[in-house]
Amino acid sequence: MEPHAASLDPLVDAPAAADMAHAGAHLHAVSLKGEFVAMLRLGVPLAAANLLQMAVYAIDVIFVAQLGTKQLAAITLATSVYGISIFCSLGLIGAVAPMAATALGRGRHALREMRRSFRMGLWMSAFAGIFVMIVALGGEPLMHATGQDPEVANMAGDYLQILSIAAIPVVASNVLRIFVSTLDKAVIATWVTVLALVVNSFGNWVLIFGNLGAPALGLRGAALASLITGLAVLAAYIAIIQADRHMRRHYLFGRLWKPDWPRLAEIWRIGLPIAALTLAEGGLFGAAAFLTGALGALQLAAHTVALQLAALAFQVPFGFGQAATIRVGLHNGAGSHRGVHLAGIAIVTLTLGLAIVFALAMVLIPHTLLSIYIDIDDTSSAELLSIATALMLIAAGFQLFDGAQAVLAGLLRGLADTRIPFVFAVIGYWVCGFVTAWYLAFHTDLGAKGVWIGLATGLFVTSLLMGWRWHRRERLGLVTGTI
């Protein structure tokens, strides 16, 4: 166990403790207007960072697509293996957010408790990164075993060998992103992601095609660019934290070598259900692709295009859900029932309002949105456009439920309530959503539309269950304090 924070460096920690005491006192004076402002200040940069992160991933696809269809297929297979393991790992270290926010809201020994959580979060990022590396290195044998094209599988394996090295920096960077966001500096996450976009674009241009005298590495160049980007992002977070006098006061990297097994176990206890929930949701959408693929290449293509747009819209409520975890954790740590209540009102109102805007866009201008991926003037794309448009209308219908389940999960996470929401996710996504999708796809004439109705059903049931638990949070004893 670590000694009290003040004994580590009283000249440094005392001002930081005073800052935290001021922050805790401010939480007790919360108002609905103030909570809206706080949610926007925290949620907008996080949502922007999520959208930019999607652009970072898209850059790889755009550059690799110029190499040929087999290279594009290889990176698609590789990122599907790498992506799901990374997102599960990010769910695991996501436990740090409510733990740190609750400590900050509580005020007492906040420096010490936050430091313990973030240091062990960095330890957990190393363990999680090793898990991702193992999964990534096992990707090629899995592809061969499932009957993928041998040449494509070999290229994907080469790509994953390099990309797997980026796992620990990527997960560790997300721990530091939680740190800056908890200290109300989420805009840093936005600018660091802009840096990632620039570095990844330049790296792909140089290393894939051999520009500026570099060797033309093709698909390996794309993987190397992603590795360099991951290292650059981690270095940027460390440099920014060390350069900022308020964040430097937390002495985050001091005694990083020292284990804190009880705190590591607590991160595991809270984070494992978050990772499992991520797997349940990601698994449903992955299964939806397989179901649609069994219906034919055309329907799968329409599914892929429509899902890209739905995923883009989802990044906004996902970012606000991350903000909700921090705000609720702060209020819960301060023992403010009113603060927790107002945080819920603010985030749900904001998210549903934005979801309505996205839904209207999908209903009113579906062809404009689909033109990003489909040549709508090409007559040969008419059938693809027709199917994708129908899926967009269903996507518009589930925007409210998708946004609601994202922020409700974030709100409950702020109370460190993660196990029951995981059970709800399994019930909603798989018992209701997948079964409905399978039945409608293969036992009716709906085809891909049936799969998407199944997705909507899963999101609807999950949002209802999450909403019920949030509504009964005090009766279930999830909220601490009496204020």
Side-chain angles (χ1 to χ4, degrees):
M1 298 293 288
E2 187 175 276
H4 190 280
S7 67
L8 290 175
D9 190 346
L11 294 179
V12 173
D13 284 359
D19 290 344
M20 289 186 171
H22 174 73
H26 175 70
L27 286 171
H28 292 303
V30 69
S31 65
L32 184 57
K33 179 182 177 181
E35 200 58 39
F36 269 106
V37 172
M39 281 292 184
L40 286 169
R41 188 174 62 243
L42 185 56
V44 170
L46 290 175
N50 290 340
L51 289 168
L52 286 166
Q53 190 61 58
M54 285 200 69
V56 174
Y57 296 142
I59 287 294
D60 288 337
V61 175
I62 291 171
F63 277 101
V64 171
Q66 300 176 50
L67 297 174
T69 55
K70 287 199 172 183
Q71 286 85 348
L72 181 58
I75 195 175
T76 301
L77 288 174
T79 53
S80 67
V81 172
Y82 179 79
I84 190 65
S85 56
I86 274 287
F87 284 124
C88 287
S89 297
L90 298 186
L92 185 62
I93 59 97
V96 175
M99 292 167 62
T102 300
L104 182 58
R106 188 179 297 122
R108 186 171 179 266
H109 303 315
L111 270 173
R112 175 176 181 253
E113 294 304 312
M114 284 186 65
R115 187 162 32 234
R116 289 178 65 199
S117 294
F118 281 110
R119 285 179 183 169
M120 289 304 99
L122 290 171
W123 273 56
M124 186 64 79
S125 71
F127 296 139
I130 292 171
F131 160 75
V132 175
M133 292 174 70
I134 293 171
V135 172
L137 294 176
E140 183 179 348
L142 176 64
M143 293 172 203
H144 285 296
T146 54
Q148 304 300 321
D149 182 298
E151 185 180 356
V152 170
N154 290 338
M155 287 191 292
D158 290 343
Y159 179 85
L160 284 170
Q161 283 186 349
I162 299 172
L163 186 63
S164 64
I165 305 171
I168 293 177
V170 167
V171 183
S173 296
N174 276 270
V175 175
L176 300 183
R177 167 176 157 149
I178 294 171
F179 175 72
V180 300
S181 300
T182 304
L183 295 181
D184 204 18
K185 296 178 183 290
V187 69
I188 292 174
T190 305
W191 288 112
V192 170
T193 313
V194 170
L195 171 68
L197 183 62
V198 173
V199 172
N200 196 49
S201 300
F202 182 72
N204 274 302
W205 180 73
V206 170
L207 296 172
I208 292 177
F209 306 113
N211 290 306
L212 300 181
L217 299 176
L219 196 59
R220 290 190 181 94
L224 189 56
S226 295
L227 171 58
I228 293 170
T229 301
L231 292 171
V233 167
L234 180 59
Y237 273 118
I238 293 172
I240 291 169
I241 290 169
Q242 291 300 95
D244 185 282
R245 66 187 184 91
H246 293 291
M247 290 190 290
R248 189 171 62 247
R249 288 172 178 172
H250 289 77
Y251 197 53
L252 189 63
F253 305 109
R255 298 190 181 182
L256 187 58
W257 51 267
K258 186 176 182 180
D260 183 346
W261 302 118
R263 184 52 53 95
L264 196 64
E266 188 177 0
I267 293 174
W268 175 264
R269 178 182 62 82
I270 297 174
L272 186 60
I274 302 175
L277 189 154
T278 304
L279 181 61
E281 183 176 6
L284 173 65
F285 281 88
F290 279 90
L291 291 176
T292 311
L295 298 170
L298 185 64
Q299 300 213 42
L300 179 57
H303 166 88
T304 302
V305 170
L307 189 59
Q308 285 294 313
L309 292 169
L312 192 67
F314 175 72
Q315 298 311 308
V316 176
F318 182 53
F320 276 99
Q322 294 169 322
T325 296
I326 294 172
R327 291 300 301 172
V328 168
L330 287 168
H331 290 302
N332 195 44
S336 174
H337 285 210
R338 172 176 168 78
V340 169
H341 176 66
L342 293 181
I345 292 176
I347 195 63
V348 171
T349 302
L350 285 170
T351 303
L352 293 184
L354 290 168
I356 290 172
V357 173
F358 295 145
L360 287 174
M362 291 177 179
V363 171
L364 298 176
I365 53 170
H367 287 190
T368 302
L369 297 174
L370 290 169
S371 66
I372 299 172
Y373 301 98
I374 301 173
D375 183 357
I376 60 176
D377 296 321
D378 186 352
T379 55
S380 65
S381 301
E383 190 175 358
L384 173 63
L385 181 63
S386 175
I387 298 172
T389 300
L391 299 184
M392 286 286 287
L393 293 177
I394 300 172
F398 68 57
Q399 284 303 300
L400 292 176
F401 311 132
D402 202 10
Q405 64 86 22
V407 297
L408 287 166
L411 289 169
L412 291 169
R413 201 168 295 160
L415 301 175
D417 181 37
T418 58
R419 284 179 290 180
I420 298 301
F422 161 64
V423 174
F424 287 167
V426 172
I427 294 171
Y429 296 141
W430 286 93
V431 176
C432 299
F434 178 77
V435 171
T436 302
W438 169 81
Y439 180 81
L440 294 179
F442 298 108
H443 294 83
T444 71
D445 296 329
L446 290 171
K449 290 183 285 186
V451 174
W452 277 59
I453 291 171
L455 293 177
T457 301
L459 294 169
F460 173 69
V461 173
T462 304
S463 64
L464 283 184
L465 292 172
M466 297 284 194
W468 172 84
R469 189 162 179 83
W470 173 253
H471 178 68
R472 294 181 59 86
R473 61 190 178 278
E474 294 189 13
R475 294 182 184 181
L476 294 172
L478 302 179
V479 185
T480 61
T482 58
I483 299 174

